[in-house]
Amino acid sequence: MVIPTHIRRSTDNASNSSNNNNSSPVRAWLTSVESWNDPNRATEATNIDAVLGHLGNSQDQAVSSAHIVDTAKAFKALADMSRSPAIRQKLTATTLPQVSSQLLQRTQGDLAKRDSDHERAEHVFLLVQVLRCICNLSADNDEARAEILRHGGVQAVAAVLQTVSEVWRQPLPVGQAAFGAALNVALDNEACAKALVDAGAVAAHLKGLSPEAAASNDAYAVWPLISMSLDNLCEGNRAATAFEGNAHFAQSILRSLARLARLISNSEGAEDSDASRAMRGAQRTLLWVMCEAMEKSPAVAAQLCQPESLLALFDILEFYLTNGVPDNDDDAQTSDSEEHGAEPSALPPNRPMPQAANRYADAVTQAIVAISGDDSALTTLFDSQSLRIRLLGILSADRGTTQDARTTRLDGMAAAAALCLGNLARTDDHCARLVAEHPALVRTLIHEWFAPRSTNVRTRHAASGLLKNLCLPAANKQALADFGLVPVAYANIDTMVVPIQANSIGILRHLLNGPPAADVLLGMFHPMTNCRGEPSVAMKDLLAVVRQTDIDAIRCEGTRLVAAAVKKIYLARQSNEQKTRDLLEQARGLLEDADNRYDVATPLVTLVVVDGRRHPLLQQESLVALTVLAATHAQNANHVRRIVELLSPANALPQQQSAAAGADADADAEAGEEEQAPPQPFSDVLQAVVRQDDGVWPQAALQAKSLLKSLGDQIANDPDNQRNFDVAGLQVLQDDLLPLLLQ
């Protein structure tokens, strides 16, 4: 480091003074170090103890104008020697951690009392060398860190970051030394990191990464250091309290992210410059810190629940989708095409799917979802005209059919916009307003973003989730059916992308509870084109999915749709409209068509047996549907015969296994443990339900008795028809189940 001229003069004066008076131990040691040129000899106890003793016991003299430069030179020499691991351990055993901590506190306090640059220059020179000494001494050295913490050195580093203006005005070397000391003294050290956070160092780090604090290009050279230190401070849950206690932290991070995005975008042709690389590194760190803080602290997310915050996040998302660096980690690679869909078990229907090989865009999307999902700001965000215009503008854009950089960016923006709008449309009023005021947008969502011809599964998933929400209010159901939502949902029933499949089934189930129910049911038996462009029938696809899936959510949700369809079709007489009754009668005729043989009884029985204990409400719904089927007229009693057939132990249901359970079973098999037990026979489950074993719902017990009574009535009313029933199942019904009705 070059010593300023006025300091060199002070050094000369100090040397003359030292020659005239007794030379201090520091000056004598410095002279010897130059002649020895041997760090081991310089740090021997006989040589170093007197120096450290003098610096610790005579601080007034050490920082006086006559000796301050010598003191700074001594710490510079010690800092250079501490680069060696062996010398570092040797110095740790001395009083150097204590002395450096004390002098750092003294120097920081002295600087607070001095205003002019001339008065501050010598103390800044000393400050830098003491910070360098602490930085190097604490590198991979928990013993030194503990001593520095015990003597107040860690808190002193935080005080320097907050009070010494040269940290910002002279990032090289002052800021570099200060943030380097903060990084090394707390790196992977819980106690020191906590002490820095408690002392207010997080705010100083955030200020350091703010573009407004970059007084010169030298500031960008320090940003990687600040980023690493801030990353360390915010590891785990250390900084949550600091963020919660200061409402400006989250907003300041967001402003810096937005400002950095603009600076990087405007620096065309300078992508490889040191400043650009530093800005990108700072941007990644700030994004990580913001997302971690939001995840660990709801209070932090609440600070960002403003329309302006979401607008800024969409700007940042667009930046990453346009300029983001792809993540090449194998575990971060995902595909946007349905043919190479992500693992179904890893993608629950109510969560955003990951961006393709761009975890930064994914992180911003997660932040948008978290903020828009906050109930406290739901009305404020939905009523924001500027936010709504931005969301509608994104979703209304013409995507086109060519897959290029533009469509990739638009797909990512549309996915985030649909997720955000889906979160905001979580009340009947919001959903109704959206459909009534923006019908063109709803049509675009259905036919451009949700339709199978759109190959981007993230956007299709987000759009399907929004449309599922819009189906909830009674006022929207007919309008959505008129917009053409039903055929698109049919086509997505057998998609391999589980979240889209779940939302499609949910959409159809919601529409069954409204005016378009009859049209929806009748359409399920008519030919259509599925998501792969093949001719199919929606009811056949639904029954095949329910039968074959190993995803519990799909099996349960699909069976609920089957149960709802059965009840609507066979209870058609309860409708007040003749047209509806006629349509449902047509659907019943197609369901009972002998040539197609739609087996709706098996999935209902499967849900009662396999999932009933975990989902009593679904068990109740399935028992109701089975009771309705059991009341089918004997001349069209295919469903009744199938139910009786399933009562036979010989016709046990195949073992159902979820994806997670399958993985556990494989692990158990490797460990030599027994495989998962097969499901109980249907007759045993019915007996347990009737007896109300193990907390069975009373309503379920009553419904099971109604089912048995209906089956018994079918047999009693037509004894000659008994030969058409499975013999073993009929015997179980008569011998084991019907007697339960008499108890």
Side-chain angles (χ1 to χ4, degrees), residues 77 124 188 238-239 290 294 302 313-314 317 328 373-374 541 604 680 697 707 713 741:
V124 169
D188 295 329
R238 292 171 185 159
M290 184 183 72
M294 289 176 60
L313 282 170
F314 274 105
L317 174 62
N328 294 322
D374 191 292
D541 287 346
L604 297 171
Q680 285 183 279
W697 281 12
L707 170 59
D713 291 345
L741 300 177

Side-chain angles (χ1 to χ4, degrees), residues 190 194 197-198 232-244 288 292-298 300:
E190 185 67 32
K194 184 178 184 304
V197 171
D198 292 344
N232 179 65
L233 293 183
C234 294
E235 185 74 28
N237 203 33
R238 292 171 185 159
T241 54
F243 281 103
E244 291 172 353
W288 180 90
E292 281 286 299
M294 289 176 60
E295 180 180 349
K296 292 179 170 58
S297 172
V300 174

Side-chain angles (χ1 to χ4, degrees), residues 101-442:
S101 298
Q102 293 172 344
L103 273 176
L104 182 61
Q105 296 174 64
R106 173 65 182 267
T107 307
Q108 182 266 329
D110 288 345
L111 280 169
K113 303 172 186 176
R114 289 167 169 78
D115 296 326
S116 69
D117 290 341
H118 178 75
E119 290 180 330
R120 296 175 66 88
E122 295 174 339
H123 287 80
V124 169
F125 179 50
L126 174 59
L127 179 78
V128 169
Q129 303 311 321
V130 175
L131 287 168
R132 289 185 62 245
C133 184
I134 289 177
C135 175
N136 292 346
L137 187 64
S138 59
D140 298 322
N141 190 350
D142 282 335
E143 184 180 352
R145 290 167 178 162
E147 285 297 303
I148 292 170
L149 175 62
R150 187 163 71 90
H151 293 286
V154 175
Q155 293 83 349
V157 171
V160 168
L161 293 175
Q162 296 174 84
T163 63
V164 177
S165 61
E166 281 79 3
V167 170
W168 319 110
R169 293 192 289 115
Q170 301 176 32
L172 293 178
V174 184
Q176 184 181 47
F179 285 107
L183 172 62
N184 271 9
V185 80
L187 187 62
D188 295 329
N189 187 288
E190 185 67 32
C192 291
K194 184 178 184 304
L196 278 176
V197 171
D198 292 344
V202 172
H205 282 72
L206 294 178
K207 177 182 177 182
L209 291 181
S210 169
E212 289 76 11
S216 67
N217 287 335
D218 289 345
Y220 298 123
V222 186
W223 276 15
L225 202 60
I226 304 176
S227 297
M228 289 187 288
S229 181
L230 183 61
D231 191 343
N232 179 65
L233 293 183
C234 294
E235 185 74 28
N237 203 33
R238 292 171 185 159
T241 54
F243 281 103
E244 291 172 353
N246 190 324
H248 301 294
F249 277 0
Q251 288 290 347
S252 65
I253 292 178
L254 188 56
R255 285 195 297 270
S256 292
L257 282 170
R259 173 72 172 148
L260 285 168
R262 290 192 293 271
L263 287 173
I264 297 172
S265 298
N266 294 334
S267 59
E268 297 181 3
E271 292 83 359
D272 295 331
S273 66
D274 292 340
S276 179
R277 283 194 295 270
M279 286 190 286
R280 286 181 178 272
Q283 190 182 42
R284 289 193 295 269
T285 300
L286 289 173
L287 178 61
W288 180 90
V289 169
M290 184 183 72
C291 292
E292 281 286 299
M294 289 176 60
E295 180 180 349
K296 292 179 170 58
S297 172
V300 174
Q303 295 174 12
L304 297 173
C305 288
Q306 303 172 17
E308 295 75 18
S309 299
L310 284 175
L311 290 170
L313 282 170
F314 274 105
D315 289 340
I316 296 166
L317 174 62
E318 188 167 16
F319 165 82
Y320 275 121
L321 290 170
T322 305
N323 305 295
V325 179
D327 192 323
N328 294 322
D329 295 340
D330 292 339
D331 60 354
Q333 295 292 335
T334 59
S335 174
D336 287 345
S337 66
E338 182 163 344
E339 290 73 21
H340 302 89
E343 288 295 327
S345 60
L347 298 172
N350 59 339
R351 296 292 300 277
M353 299 172 71
Q355 301 282 347
N358 192 336
R359 63 178 182 178
Y360 308 124
D362 184 45
V364 178
T365 302
Q366 294 280 2
I368 290 172
V369 171
I371 293 171
S372 59
D374 191 292
D375 291 337
S376 63
L378 184 60
T379 302
T380 300
L381 295 176
F382 185 82
D383 290 339
S384 170
Q385 185 176 4
S386 57
L387 178 58
R388 194 184 306 184
I389 289 173
R390 182 69 192 275
L391 296 176
L392 298 183
I394 293 171
L395 292 171
S396 301
D398 182 12
R399 181 185 184 277
T401 57
T402 305
Q403 190 63 39
D404 53 17
R406 175 188 171 276
T407 55
T408 299
R409 175 182 60 79
L410 186 55
D411 286 339
M413 294 293 291
L419 288 167
C420 179
L421 202 54
N423 275 345
L424 300 182
R426 282 181 291 123
T427 67
D428 286 355
D429 176 61
H430 290 178
C431 290
R433 286 173 55 189
L434 201 58
V435 173
E437 297 173 9
H438 305 285
L441 168 68
V442 178

Side-chain angles (χ1 to χ4, degrees), residues 431-451 453 466-467 470-471 473-489 507 511 516 519-520:
C431 290
R433 286 173 55 189
L434 201 58
V435 173
E437 297 173 9
H438 305 285
L441 168 68
V442 178
R443 289 190 178 92
T444 301
L445 284 169
I446 295 171
H447 299 291
E448 297 298 330
W449 299 116
F450 179 35
R453 66 170 178 242
L466 171 55
L467 291 168
L470 297 180
C471 286
N476 286 355
K477 297 181 188 292
Q478 188 61 57
L480 289 168
D482 294 341
F483 292 159
L485 177 58
V486 176
V488 177
I507 285 170
L511 292 180
D519 292 315
V520 172

Side-chain angles (χ1 to χ4, degrees), residues 455-472:
T455 59
N456 189 283
V457 295
R458 287 182 291 104
T459 310
R460 287 176 55 206
H461 163 242
S464 65
L466 171 55
L467 291 168
K468 182 181 174 182
N469 279 5
L470 297 180
C471 286
L472 287 170

Side-chain angles (χ1 to χ4, degrees), residues 351-648:
R351 296 292 300 277
M353 299 172 71
Q355 301 282 347
N358 192 336
R359 63 178 182 178
Y360 308 124
D362 184 45
V364 178
T365 302
Q366 294 280 2
I368 290 172
V369 171
I371 293 171
S372 59
D374 191 292
D375 291 337
S376 63
L378 184 60
T379 302
T380 300
L381 295 176
F382 185 82
D383 290 339
S384 170
Q385 185 176 4
S386 57
L387 178 58
R388 194 184 306 184
I389 289 173
R390 182 69 192 275
L391 296 176
L392 298 183
I394 293 171
L395 292 171
S396 301
D398 182 12
R399 181 185 184 277
T401 57
T402 305
Q403 190 63 39
D404 53 17
R406 175 188 171 276
T407 55
T408 299
R409 175 182 60 79
L410 186 55
D411 286 339
M413 294 293 291
L419 288 167
C420 179
L421 202 54
N423 275 345
L424 300 182
R426 282 181 291 123
T427 67
D428 286 355
D429 176 61
H430 290 178
C431 290
R433 286 173 55 189
L434 201 58
V435 173
E437 297 173 9
H438 305 285
L441 168 68
V442 178
R443 289 190 178 92
T444 301
L445 284 169
I446 295 171
H447 299 291
E448 297 298 330
W449 299 116
F450 179 35
R453 66 170 178 242
S454 174
T455 59
N456 189 283
V457 295
R458 287 182 291 104
T459 310
R460 287 176 55 206
H461 163 242
S464 65
L466 171 55
L467 291 168
K468 182 181 174 182
N469 279 5
L470 297 180
C471 286
L472 287 170
N476 286 355
K477 297 181 188 292
Q478 188 61 57
L480 289 168
D482 294 341
F483 292 159
L485 177 58
V486 176
V488 177
Y490 288 157
N492 280 299
I493 286 177
D494 67 341
T495 175
M496 65 165 46
V497 185
V498 174
I500 298 175
Q501 187 179 58
N503 285 339
S504 300
I505 294 172
I507 285 170
L508 294 173
R509 192 169 64 81
H510 291 328
L511 292 180
L512 281 184
N513 294 322
D519 292 315
V520 172
L521 286 172
L522 190 59
M524 294 182 76
F525 298 95
H526 289 166
M528 57 93 183
T529 302
N530 64 17
C531 63
R532 291 181 295 278
E534 302 167 349
S536 185
V537 175
M539 180 58 78
K540 288 184 178 179
D541 287 346
L542 176 62
L543 294 175
V545 165
V546 171
R547 182 177 64 252
Q548 298 169 4
T549 185
D550 60 356
I551 307 296
D552 289 345
I554 296 299
R555 184 174 64 252
C556 292
E557 190 71 7
T559 306
R560 293 188 77 185
L561 178 56
V562 172
V566 166
K567 288 184 285 186
K568 286 286 183 182
I569 289 173
Y570 284 98
L571 298 177
R573 294 182 182 88
Q574 297 181 2
S575 175
N576 296 325
E577 297 182 7
Q578 182 62 43
K579 179 182 177 182
T580 299
R581 291 198 296 270
D582 293 342
L583 291 174
L584 292 176
E585 283 297 329
Q586 293 180 47
R588 176 172 177 168
L590 294 169
L591 178 61
E592 295 177 348
D593 185 1
D595 295 333
N596 289 300
R597 302 286 295 181
Y598 292 103
D599 179 12
V600 294
T602 300
L604 297 171
V605 171
T606 301
L607 191 143
V608 171
V609 172
V610 177
D611 304 295
R613 188 180 299 274
R614 290 176 298 142
H615 305 292
L617 175 61
L618 306 191
Q619 183 184 63
Q620 168 77 2
E621 291 180 357
S622 295
L623 286 171
V624 171
L626 286 169
T627 304
V628 172
L629 288 177
T632 304
H633 193 274
Q635 293 179 348
N636 297 305
N638 291 334
H639 305 308
V640 180
R641 287 192 288 273
R642 180 56 180 160
I643 294 172
V644 173
E645 183 181 357
L646 290 171
L647 290 173
S648 169

